[in-house]
Amino acid sequence: MRPHLERTALANRLEKQMKQIPKTKDALVLRTDFSDQAAWETIRGIIREPVGDFRAYVEFLDDSEYRDITKDQLLGLVPKDYNHSFLVVVDRTSISQRDFPLLIVGLYDGSGREFRAVPSQIQSIENNLSIANMDFEEFAGSVDEDGVFRGFPES
């Protein structure tokens, strides 16, 4: 077996050993980076804070079993009958950057489309995606030059 094939087989075996993403009543915010507890707590606080009339209806999953998993591994752990169209991921990039750009992963048809968003926008994203008032592409298509959604431009 070639070395890159051995790593792929090992990754596949490890993925099968990991538990699936749990089904939750509310959308899931999944922690995959455990390097900075204070940053995690700050992100949680920002998401919990109402923004205008918007509250984020989310559940936080803080389980080190998901440490450093990749998006592809994550997609493999989502149950086939999962009841949300997206996941919010707090990964290394989220934790290490000043404005905590969270990874939003689309699950519709297992696409794995993604964009990043600052925590203060999760309320709007969650509310609108959860009730299908807006679609994933509307948010993904409105990221700034850094590839981060910071809100829709004022008209």
Side-chain angles (χ1 to χ4, degrees), residues 20-122:
Q20 284 194 320
I21 299 299
K23 294 178 187 176
T24 55
K25 176 183 174 223
D26 295 320
L28 191 63
V29 177
L30 174 68
R31 182 181 187 185
T32 65
D33 184 279
F34 292 81
S35 64
D36 188 336
Q37 184 66 27
W40 168 245
E41 294 298 329
T42 299
I43 290 166
R44 287 172 48 136
I46 295 169
I47 293 172
R48 285 183 175 136
E49 189 68 29
V51 175
D53 293 335
F54 293 106
R55 285 191 167 306
Y57 295 93
V58 299
E59 294 183 37
F60 296 94
L61 182 55
D62 184 2
D63 183 339
S64 62
E65 180 163 343
Y66 300 106
R67 178 186 309 273
D68 298 327
I69 64 170
T70 66
K71 182 180 77 171
D72 289 337
Q73 288 171 319
L74 176 64
L75 290 171
L77 297 174
V78 176
K80 294 194 184 323
D81 59 346
Y82 194 68
N83 56 336
H84 302 290
S85 64
F86 66 98
L87 287 169
V88 179
V89 180
V90 182
D91 61 0
R92 184 169 310 276
T93 299
S94 305
I95 293 290
S96 65
Q97 294 188 10
R98 186 173 48 97
D99 58 350
F100 309 118
L102 307 174
L103 182 63
I104 315 302
V105 179
L107 301 176
Y108 185 72
D109 292 336
S111 70
R113 295 172 297 166
E114 65 181 62
F115 67 93
R116 291 205 173 262
V118 293
S120 62
Q121 292 300 313
I122 298 305

